[in-house]
Amino acid sequence: MPGLRWGDLDPERTPNLWQLATEGAVASLSTRTIPPEGTSVNCPVAGWLTVSAGQRAAAPGPGCPPAPEPVRAADGSATVPGWSELAALQRSSAYQARIGLLGQAITAAGGRVAAVGPGAALAAADQNGRVATYARTPGELPDLTPYAAVFAEAGEIARAWWRAGQGRAVELDDAARATAVRAADRTVGELLRHLPPETLVLVAGLSDAGSLAHLHVAIALGPGRGEPYWRSTLTAASTRQDALVTITDVTATVTHVLGLPTPEGAVGRPWRPAGPAPEDPVAELAAADLAGQVLREIRPSFYTALVIVQLAFYGIAAAVVRRFRRMLTAVQVVAVVSGAVPVATFLAQLVPWWSAGRPMLALNAVILGFAVLIAGLAFAGPWRRHVLGPLTVVAGVSSLTLLIDVMTGSHLQVNAVTGYEPVTGGRFYGFGNIAFAVFATGTILFLAGLWRLRGGLLRPVVLGYALFAIVVDGWPGWGADFGGVPSFVLGVAVFALLAFRLRISPGRLGLIALAGAVLIAALSVADWLRPADRRTHLGAFVDRVLAGEGWPIVTRKLSAMLNTLGNVWLTLLALVAVAFLFLVLHKPSRWGASALSQAYGRAPELRAGLFGALATAICGFVLNDSGIAIPAMALTVAVPLTLAAAVRALRLGPPTTADRSSAESARTAPPTP
């Protein structure tokens, strides 16, 4: 049902769909395909072809054309016109989808396939574009018992959208949409009347039908295969999120229910029943789509505001550090609050800010509230007197919050303003790139703050936590972060070398890089050795490499990374943060030594933590498709917290003889095993 959203369902207007939704297993459906150039809208034809291939597919452009009417033969079969051109289009795309996989897999196993409607024929066709049985309407195919799978299209919403905009991304007016939804529900009712007993019904709103991308409807009702779909939510290993599945999962679900292996090249995972359905599943899932729409609208403004506020703060802080000693306390407090903002953007998901009348204002208030709460903790105890006290608390909260979140399902990252969007379908679990930047930076600065705890006796515990954090980042069941692991290994190793006063040489850096590569390769291969329906993208990448198809993935990620340099705001933020660090904090103030040098004198481990965090940020920029966003967000954590430590050092004055003796002891102490 292309274009069907949860907000369309109503017990009066759509009685058939309402019954399926209240009796079956339900979820939001992320329908990300390959949208036409210059738009985020997923076309109906692309949705049907994605089901056919089990991989993101594209519609022939420009715009969103209607599905071609199959050419029927006398025996009831049909052929999709232009199939070879459609197949060639997919082979030339970034995802290299192989359309016809699903229909071919079913027929090759001896199953009969039927299609009702031109869109459904795209999903049901074999690799030659042929459908064994084709009907234009449900009434032409009254007996469904001979078929293993029937692909049916209730395409009234998509057709109304096409008539309104001729393939352009326009919005249907409310009346036209309501009329189309009613007609689609009647088509569903006609199909349901023909179903044999023990049929599993899958409903997928498998594309957009408007000017904006949305989450859509996913319903399963029936016996399944050992797991009945009945009054529950749906999940899949591809998302690991309750009540969230993807369009590529439809392909794997069909083959799973039929007892067939998922076709090679299909990337989805079967829909499975999860927890009990909410009391009002339609309202709750419609709210999930609303959250995605609100996030899309406010995210650009949020990042713009974040950068402007950060730049203004750096300008004010530069003047204070150089000239106005009486304002240092205020700068330290604001710096600690600023360093807590990144992790607060994730904690904000604990509050339904998106449902407020003014969501941007609500989001900023919630983020600031959490940041102030964390800063209050940072200044609440005796640790506030130490140069690294507030830094350690904020960094520790950042590290532990995201560590716990990713080990318990990554719920704080879903629809977070700095997290991932189910609508775009880039990632659904594990560490997103922005979350990784906050986590890794927080972890390394946390290590620096703990380094001399109890005179250095706890250093093995500190390094053990670092190793555990790296494993969590890359472990397929938790972080599943391919590019983050080598970056994290490099940053922690640089921190450890500097903390132990060892020289950083090209040879050592080479060995560190090799260790990071070996670790992520081992985790990826271990993931690949698991059953195919349980693999993450780590194992899937190994599979693509072994099939000789790894290079397109690498080039796509590299291109995405380079394109991020066009983000003027984030690039400016990263450059200004680095300039502030070395041109303001590192240069002598009017009171003598530089603020950074005084902080290093009182807490030499700060230098190790700062350079370790910078190493991770730079490596993360190179290895991840988010590119400049990683150092920009890492510096948003590191620079304000470093400023807070430097300001505290300025307030304390030059290091005393005892401070220098302590620092020297830390430098010359034998390395801890």
Side-chain angles (χ1 to χ4, degrees):
M1 302 186 69
L4 183 68
R5 306 172 194 161
W6 281 108
D8 294 324
L9 271 62
D10 177 88
E12 303 294 332
R13 184 174 62 224
T14 58
N16 297 296
L17 288 168
W18 189 266
Q19 183 177 0
L20 289 172
T22 53
E23 294 183 359
V26 296
S28 296
L29 180 68
S30 175
T31 60
R32 188 66 169 174
T33 58
I34 301 178
E37 188 173 352
T39 179
S40 63
V41 172
N42 303 291
C43 298
V45 167
W48 286 114
L49 291 174
T50 296
V51 172
S52 173
Q55 176 61 280
R56 291 185 186 181
C64 290
E69 181 65 39
V71 178
R72 293 207 287 186
D75 62 356
S77 66
T79 302
V80 177
W83 183 262
S84 58
E85 289 80 5
L86 287 173
L89 174 64
Q90 312 313 321
R91 288 195 297 270
S92 65
S93 72
Y95 292 91
Q96 298 184 325
R98 295 194 292 248
I99 58 175
L101 279 185
L102 180 55
Q104 189 74 34
I106 299 172
T107 55
R112 294 185 64 186
V113 176
V116 179
L122 295 173
D126 62 20
Q127 291 182 320
N128 296 314
R130 183 177 180 275
V131 183
T133 303
Y134 174 72
R136 289 189 180 92
T137 65
E140 295 179 17
L141 199 65
D143 185 10
L144 302 180
T145 54
Y147 304 101
V150 178
F151 297 79
E153 177 182 24
E156 286 81 358
I157 303 171
R159 287 196 289 273
W161 178 58
W162 168 256
R163 288 193 298 270
Q166 297 296 302
R168 293 178 291 108
V170 299
E171 281 295 326
L172 280 172
D173 63 66
D174 292 344
R177 185 172 189 89
T179 299
V181 169
R182 286 192 188 94
D185 187 75
R186 287 195 294 270
T187 300
V188 171
E190 187 176 359
L191 284 163
L192 294 177
R193 285 193 292 273
H194 294 310
L195 294 185
E198 300 300 306
T199 297
L200 172 65
V201 179
L202 306 178
V203 179
L206 50 70
S207 77
D208 297 307
S211 60
L212 301 170
H214 281 262
L215 291 174
H216 293 274
V217 170
I219 303 173
L221 176 61
R225 188 164 180 257
E227 44 192 2
Y229 299 94
W230 178 259
R231 290 181 181 169
S232 68
T233 54
L234 287 169
T235 189
S238 56
T239 68
R240 298 188 193 168
Q241 300 292 341
D242 195 13
L244 180 62
V245 293
T246 77
I247 185 173
T248 53
D249 297 333
V250 176
T251 313
T253 304
V254 172
T255 55
H256 171 73
V257 169
L258 295 177
L260 304 176
T262 302
E264 185 176 346
V267 299
R269 300 291 183 263
W271 295 355
R272 298 185 185 278
E279 185 175 341
D280 188 348
V282 174
E284 187 160 317
L285 293 169
D289 181 45
L290 172 65
Q293 298 307 305
V294 171
L295 178 61
R296 186 200 67 252
E297 290 178 5
I298 70 171
R299 176 173 273 176
S301 299
F302 172 83
Y303 274 105
T304 300
L306 175 67
V307 173
I308 291 173
V309 170
Q310 288 274 316
L311 296 181
F313 174 58
Y314 289 147
I316 295 170
V320 171
V321 169
R322 308 285 293 180
R323 297 180 179 276
F324 303 104
R325 194 181 188 99
R326 285 182 299 177
M327 297 176 63
L328 288 178
T329 299
V331 167
Q332 183 188 11
V333 172
V334 175
V336 172
V337 172
S338 180
V341 163
V343 71
T345 62
F346 297 103
L347 290 169
Q349 294 307 100
L350 297 173
V351 179
W353 54 266
W354 54 86
S355 61
R358 301 181 66 180
M360 182 67 173
L361 183 63
L363 173 63
N364 289 332
V366 172
I367 290 174
L368 183 60
F370 275 111
V372 169
L373 185 64
I374 296 168
L377 179 63
F379 288 109
W383 51 79
R384 67 181 180 274
R385 301 187 185 94
H386 191 275
V387 167
L388 297 187
L391 174 149
T392 304
V393 172
V394 175
V397 170
S398 300
S399 177
L400 291 169
T401 295
L402 290 171
L403 180 87
I404 294 169
D405 177 56
V406 84
M407 293 178 68
T408 55
S410 304
H411 303 299
L412 293 181
Q413 294 182 62
V414 178
N415 274 330
V417 71
T418 50
Y420 31 74
E421 303 168 78
V423 173
T424 59
R427 191 180 182 105
F428 301 97
Y429 60 84
F431 273 119
N433 288 333
I434 300 297
F436 163 74
V438 177
F439 172 65
T441 304
T443 298
I444 294 172
L445 293 178
F446 188 41
L447 302 179
L450 298 177
W451 190 246
R452 276 197 289 169
L453 201 65
R454 294 186 179 272
L457 293 176
L458 294 181
R459 287 176 184 174
V461 176
V462 172
L463 292 176
Y465 177 74
L467 179 59
F468 180 66
I470 291 171
V471 171
V472 168
D473 180 47
W475 194 257
W478 290 330
D481 185 10
F482 190 94
V485 170
S487 307
F488 208 175
V489 167
L490 175 65
V492 169
V494 167
F495 163 77
L497 288 173
L498 291 175
F500 282 123
R501 304 294 295 171
L502 298 174
R503 189 168 63 91
I504 298 177
S505 64
R508 282 177 174 160
L509 288 177
L511 289 175
I512 293 166
L514 179 62
V518 168
L519 178 58
I520 191 58
L523 291 171
S524 299
V525 171
D527 187 37
W528 175 72
L529 292 173
R530 299 197 299 172
D533 62 351
R534 296 181 59 196
R535 293 174 189 160
T536 69
H537 62 279
L538 301 183
F541 177 68
V542 173
D543 198 56
R544 296 291 293 273
V545 169
L546 294 176
E549 300 172 355
W551 184 245
I553 299 176
V554 174
T555 56
R556 187 173 73 244
K557 299 285 187 182
L558 178 62
S559 175
M561 180 271 288
L562 294 174
N563 286 337
T564 64
L565 294 175
N567 189 319
V568 176
W569 285 112
L570 290 180
T571 303
L572 180 63
L573 177 59
L575 293 176
V576 171
V578 172
F580 177 82
L581 197 62
F582 291 102
L583 299 182
V584 177
L585 295 186
H586 192 61
K587 282 197 169 185
S589 68
R590 63 182 295 185
W591 303 297
S594 77
L596 205 53
S597 295
Q598 291 199 35
Y600 288 164
R602 289 183 172 274
E605 54 274 9
L606 173 61
R607 178 172 176 269
L610 182 58
F611 277 86
L614 291 175
T616 294
I618 293 169
C619 189
F621 162 70
V622 174
L623 294 181
N624 287 280
D625 53 5
S626 290
I628 194 64
I630 290 180
M633 209 64 190
L635 290 165
T636 301
V637 179
V639 175
L641 294 182
T642 301
L643 170 63
V647 165
R648 177 63 180 166
L650 280 178
R651 292 176 60 206
L652 292 173
T656 63
T657 303
D659 293 324
R660 285 192 290 269
S661 175
S662 176
E664 186 61 30
S665 298
R667 292 190 187 99
T668 58
T672 302

